[in-house]
């Protein structure tokens, strides 16, 4: 844009929309700053005190003037509001079919976990022209995941999942930043997104996932942690059967309903007593402190894989 090196490259479908709004705001602010500064100078000269005994004229209201300076700013701010809301809704609503990846922030690195099993640190490989959704959390303090070239940015908060999505439009390498001060090495908490042609991306994917897909890692953990002793049909069953739970409506013991999403599954593993499913006893031990964020992602992905209908997101 104008060849300004200050401005980041624009490499996602949302980038031009964000830029258009940004330059509109910049234009409006510039116009009114100049207008007001110009009027201050002009009036200071035109209405200056010319004689020592000059007395100003008192002005009592001017209805037309007041209506004009109320209505014009109102119209301008409404344009900004509706335009901003439109861009916000696009950014907040990922398409139906996305390639999902998990991102875990920690002091001071970004850990990326692909559904297919690959892991990366401070790197994120994605294909060009496909919408990608990042499901992100932090294992220690507040971070903020930002890719300026894609115009996406979100706080990454311990104890919950936040999502962003983007569709890269140009192959290349783009910078990832942490945009929230998070400790001494905050400025070093950077990385690269590598946007690849689809064929190259497939080659990269087939390159290595030694432990199999994320869901299969989760399935192994499910057995290792003995989750399967209670969450299975039979006389030993003490917890809900998890098939088709993800994405479904769950009724809790107190009668409230909620949709089983990543955040709910996460909480139900770490603090099972927080939300008990109707018809079950609060007998499950808490796994807070016993499973890492990465293990949680694997377990969540396994539980998602048991719900083919409720599973949003496509495999690459
Ligand atoms: Cu992480 Cu700043």
């Amino acid at each position: 844009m104008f060849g300004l090196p200050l401005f980041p490259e624009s490499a996602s479908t949302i980038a031009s929309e964000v830029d258009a709004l940004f330059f509109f705001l910049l234009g409006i602010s510039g116009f009114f700053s100049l207008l007001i500064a110009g009027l201050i100078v002009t009036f200071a000269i035109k209405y200056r005190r010319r004689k020592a005994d000059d007395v100003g004229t008192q002005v009592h209201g001017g209805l037309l003037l007041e209506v004009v300076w109320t209505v014009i700013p109102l119209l301008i701010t409404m344009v900004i509001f509706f335009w901003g809301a439109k861009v916000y809704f696009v950014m907040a609503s990922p398409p139906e079919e996305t390639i999902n990846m998990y991102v875990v922030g920690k002091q001071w690195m970004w850990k990326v976990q692909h559904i297919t099993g690959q892991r990366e640190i401070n790197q994120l490989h994605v294909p060009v022209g496909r919408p990608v959704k990042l499901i992100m959390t932090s294992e220690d303090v507040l971070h903020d995941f930002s890719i300026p070239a894609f115009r996406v940015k979100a706080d990454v908060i311990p104890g919950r999942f936040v999502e962003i999505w983007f569709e890269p439009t140009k192959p290349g390498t783009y910078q990832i930043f942490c945009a929230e001060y998070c400790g001494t090495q905050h400025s070093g908490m950077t990385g690269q997104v590598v946007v690849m042609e689809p064929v190259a991306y497939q080659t990269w994917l087939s390159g290595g996932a030694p432990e199999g897909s994320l869901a299969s890692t989760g399935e192994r953990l499910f057995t290792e942690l003995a989750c399967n002793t209670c969450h299975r049909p039979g006389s030993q069953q003490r917890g809900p059967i998890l098939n088709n739970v993800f994405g479904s409506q769950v009724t809790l013991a107190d009668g409230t309903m909620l949709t089983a999403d990543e955040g709910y599954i996460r909480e139900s593993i770490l603090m099972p007593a927080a939300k008990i499913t109707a018809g079950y006893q609060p007998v499950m031990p808490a796994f807070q402190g016993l499973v890492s964020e990465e293990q949680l992602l694997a377990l969540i992905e396994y539980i998602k894989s048991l719900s083919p209908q409720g599973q949003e997101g496509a495999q690459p």
Side-chain angles (χ1 to χ4, degrees), residues 31-73:
F31 172 77
F32 281 100
S33 302
L34 289 177
L35 180 70
I36 292 166
L39 288 178
I40 288 173
V41 172
T42 311
F43 289 167
I45 294 167
K46 189 171 177 201
Y47 299 112
R48 71 186 184 278
R49 195 184 217 192
R50 289 159 205 266
K51 280 181 278 173
D53 57 352
D54 265 359
V55 176
T57 318
Q58 289 299 315
V59 178
H60 297 282
L63 185 64
L64 182 65
L65 193 62
E66 286 177 15
V67 167
V68 167
W69 80 42
T70 307
V71 168
I72 291 179

Side-chain angles (χ1 to χ4, degrees), residues 143 178 180-182 186 189:
H143 300 278
C178 178
E180 182 79 57
Y181 182 70
C182 56
H186 154 73
M189 193 169 165

Side-chain angles (χ1 to χ4, degrees), residues 35 45 78-79 202 262:
L35 180 70
I45 294 167
M78 283 297 115
V79 168
Q202 284 308 328
E262 290 93 351

Side-chain angles (χ1 to χ4, degrees), residues 173-309:
T173 303
Y174 308 99
Q175 199 70 32
I176 301 171
F177 288 108
C178 178
E180 182 79 57
Y181 182 70
C182 56
T184 50
Q185 299 293 313
H186 154 73
S187 61
M189 193 169 165
T190 59
Q192 271 97 37
V193 196
V194 182
V195 179
M196 308 172 92
E197 294 290 356
V199 176
Y201 179 68
Q202 284 308 328
T203 312
W204 181 85
L205 269 187
S206 58
E211 292 155 27
S213 74
L214 190 55
S216 68
T217 306
E219 188 173 9
R220 273 201 306 280
L221 267 173
F222 197 77
T223 312
E224 280 168 31
L225 297 168
C227 314
N228 58 341
T229 53
C230 297
H231 290 283
R232 74 165 168 214
S235 58
Q236 291 286 307
Q237 188 196 341
R238 277 176 288 178
I241 302 303
L242 300 175
N243 291 12
N244 296 317
V245 162
F246 187 85
S248 71
Q249 290 286 313
V250 176
T251 310
L252 303 181
D254 64 5
T256 52
M257 303 267 288
L258 54 76
T259 304
D261 59 6
E262 290 93 351
Y264 168 70
I265 307 250
R266 179 182 195 286
E267 183 187 57
S268 298
I269 297 169
L270 297 178
M271 291 167 286
K275 297 193 176 89
I276 298 293
T277 308
Y280 292 92
Q281 294 303 308
V283 292
M284 176 171 158
F287 283 83
Q288 184 96 58
L290 300 177
V291 287
S292 68
E293 287 297 334
E294 271 95 347
Q295 290 177 318
L296 274 172
L297 300 182
L299 287 168
I300 290 170
E301 202 52 40
Y302 169 59
I303 292 165
K304 273 187 179 181
S305 75
L306 301 175
S307 310
Q309 285 82 33

